[in-house]
Amino acid sequence: MKSLLIVILNLIALVIMPVVAQAQQSLVQDPVAFEKEHFTKRCEGQASFGDGFATERDINNDTLTDIVVNEGELTCKGEKGPDCTDEGCPYNFYIHVAEGGYILVATARIYGYDFIQRFGNMVLVMKMHPHFCDRTEGDPCEITVRVRGVKFVTVAKK
């Protein structure tokens, strides 16, 4: 009975592992070109990008320049920020990895962010809809995160 269970678990692992491997992020050599190409196709060639569409900055403190894409700076067929809502605009966070290229590690719908130093580390303070701090109204929620490697670690919420 015990060996049958082991065989079944191994069989399940063989079926699941290829799916997990495919789900891993692939490297993007130029996230700005990648995003602009995507939106140019989506907007049927009628896309324009504001100065704040892509920001280069080291967000994970590894000395490599990462990229943050603000979809609120996209104008698609005459509509500015077509995916923006009352909860903010989508931002895509790409981390530059030592192997070369970038990995998309997070997408967040936010109003904006500040990049500040806190306790000796650079952190992102993201301004988000109040419901992310379990409120229905009032001032925007501020979520402070430190990016370690390719993971966002929440430091504080207020």
Side-chain angles (χ1 to χ4, degrees):
M1 182 67 173
K2 193 174 189 180
S3 62
L4 179 61
L5 180 62
I6 292 172
V7 169
I8 291 172
L9 290 174
N10 284 333
L11 186 60
I12 291 171
L14 287 173
V15 171
I16 293 175
M17 290 310 286
V19 173
V20 171
Q22 288 177 346
Q24 291 178 350
Q25 289 288 336
S26 58
L27 289 177
V28 176
Q29 293 306 311
D30 184 350
V32 178
F34 175 79
E35 293 267 350
K36 285 183 174 182
E37 180 182 340
H38 165 76
F39 286 114
T40 300
K41 285 180 186 174
R42 176 179 155 191
C43 300
E44 299 170 357
Q46 299 176 41
S48 62
F49 307 93
D51 291 339
F53 180 72
T55 303
E56 293 184 5
R57 161 174 280 145
D58 177 19
I59 64 172
N60 65 346
N61 301 296
D62 67 353
T63 71
L64 298 174
T65 303
D66 308 308
I67 295 178
V68 180
V69 173
N70 173 2
E71 293 184 26
E73 290 291 319
L74 161 70
T75 302
C76 180
K77 298 181 185 177
E79 180 183 1
K80 184 164 173 73
D83 294 330
C84 297
T85 67
D86 64 339
E87 292 188 5
C89 295
Y91 281 69
N92 299 322
F93 295 86
Y94 288 89
I95 300 295
H96 192 180
V97 293
E99 297 81 14
Y102 296 79
I103 298 175
L104 175 64
V105 295
T107 297
R109 185 173 297 276
I110 60 179
Y111 299 135
Y113 70 92
D114 292 316
F115 194 64
I116 62 171
Q117 187 165 1
R118 190 167 287 164
F119 305 115
N121 294 307
M122 297 305 287
V123 296
L124 292 169
V125 179
M126 298 185 289
K127 294 170 186 70
M128 305 176 85
H129 191 277
H131 78 78
F132 288 104
C133 287
D134 301 320
R135 299 189 314 259
T136 56
E137 56 187 42
D139 292 335
C141 173
E142 289 186 359
I143 297 181
T144 303
V145 296
R146 177 158 193 262
V147 185
R148 293 182 180 257
V150 295
K151 295 186 183 197
F152 278 45
V153 178
T154 301
V155 175
K157 279 170 99 170
K158 73 173 190 171

